[in-house]
Amino acid sequence: MNMKRWIALGAAILLFVVAAGINTVSSIMSMNWQSVMEDQLAPAGGQMEQVVEDGNARNRIALLRVDGIIQDTGAASPLFAPTGYNHQAFMEQLEMIREDKSVKGVVLYVNSPGGGVVESSDIHDKLVEIKEEKDIPVYVSMGAMAASGGYYISAPADKIFVHKETLTGSIGVIMESINYGGFAEEHGIDFVTIKSGEYKDILSPTREMTEEEREMLQTMLNDSYERFVDVIEAGRGMSEAEVKKWADGRIMNGGQAIDAKLADETGRLEDAIAGLRTDHGLEGAQMFEYSIDAGFGSLFGVKMQSLFQGDLESRIIGQVLSDYNSPRMMYLYGEK
């Protein structure tokens, strides 16, 4: 092969390499990198069992925890998903317990100011279903706070343990909205609303609520309040009058809750566990709790949240906008 042919062959190879390189770069540039990162860093999402106290694996006690505001935040990107209570994961745990024939008792640790009406009802109903279908005891240990929705989900327990300083009660329903109409008018901001019906913009943050609208919403809250009372009546074996004596939104400590028959004994989590074992012959039972196999993605997500969450003022403003974007009924005590 003469020199010209070698040069031609080399040029052809060079053109091929350049073309392949261009195609590769183009493919890389067109990739959805967010999707790729989420695939690589996404949490496994599986529910894992962790043995807390070894014992008979055919007779087991499930330890569950509700720690934080009870609300369903939906499925978020694993890189930026919030930490804390995960409603979907907790409901999966309850369903796994319902199907697990080896589970002979449940201890629920509650440290929560409450949360959404729907989410609290979800947990309560599933606990009742577990008790009735499996005929097993459910004991509750209240932490620093188990108020409003935190008490709602505790009510069906066979026995409730409280710390003397536990903050509980706050039996009732609340719905809040923010009205910045006056501020907007003062600064010359005009809102234009086109609606299909008279009440379509009820609880609008840009205008005053009418008395008729207030009555409509109050009726809704009263219905949810009565369901809350019914839940306590059924769970605690109290009359309506006994419940409503305390169901005015007031908070109370652990000792007061016992006096009001809303709790049974003073104690911590270990006391609730020991009580369940002794009362129901489960001294030798294995105890376990669930954990989510979060993987590297979850750890990386925590760092990403810390990096991008901004200064304190920005976070407060963002929280306010998030809280009041869509007002809803809540079994909630204290600040959101």
Side-chain angles (χ1 to χ4, degrees), residues 246-310:
W246 311 107
D248 53 6
R250 74 179 69 188
I251 57 173
M252 59 186 72
N253 62 29
Q256 292 171 324
I258 292 175
D259 291 340
K261 301 181 181 179
L262 295 174
D264 299 291
E265 294 187 23
T266 301
R268 303 175 186 271
L269 176 59
E270 55 267 29
D271 298 307
I273 294 170
L276 178 69
R277 289 186 181 279
T278 302
D279 295 346
H280 298 276
L282 295 172
E283 289 87 349
Q286 181 188 92
M287 186 169 68
F288 73 98
E289 63 180 326
Y290 294 106
S291 62
I292 300 176
D293 182 16
F296 177 74
S298 178
L299 298 176
F300 186 74
V302 172
K303 295 297 184 183
M304 293 294 285
Q305 290 178 61
S306 176
L307 180 63
F308 290 107
Q309 67 184 357

Side-chain angles (χ1 to χ4, degrees), residues 69-72 85 87 112-123 148-150 152-153 173-174 328-332:
I69 296 178
I70 304 169
Q71 60 181 347
D72 188 353
Y85 173 74
H87 186 65
S112 171
V117 168
V118 173
E119 294 92 334
S120 300
S121 180
D122 284 345
I123 297 173
S148 202
Y152 190 104
I153 66 173
V173 197
I174 189 170
R328 59 179 182 141
M329 291 186 294
M330 304 284 283
Y331 294 136
L332 181 66

Side-chain angles (χ1 to χ4, degrees), residues 86-158:
N86 185 324
H87 186 65
Q88 295 180 18
F90 188 75
M91 293 305 296
E92 288 176 5
Q93 293 172 10
L94 291 176
E95 181 60 24
M96 291 169 70
I97 287 174
R98 189 186 70 83
E99 296 177 352
D100 192 335
K101 295 181 180 180
S102 70
V103 176
K104 307 300 183 182
V106 175
V107 175
L108 174 62
Y109 175 77
V110 180
N111 184 39
S112 171
V117 168
V118 173
E119 294 92 334
S120 300
S121 180
D122 284 345
I123 297 173
H124 168 273
D125 293 349
K126 182 60 70 172
L127 285 172
V128 171
E129 181 181 349
I130 289 171
K131 286 185 58 180
E132 293 180 349
E133 285 191 9
K134 296 175 67 67
D135 191 26
I136 61 174
V138 174
Y139 277 31
V140 162
S141 171
M142 292 183 172
M145 178 179 291
S148 202
Y151 189 83
Y152 190 104
I153 66 173
S154 304
D158 295 276

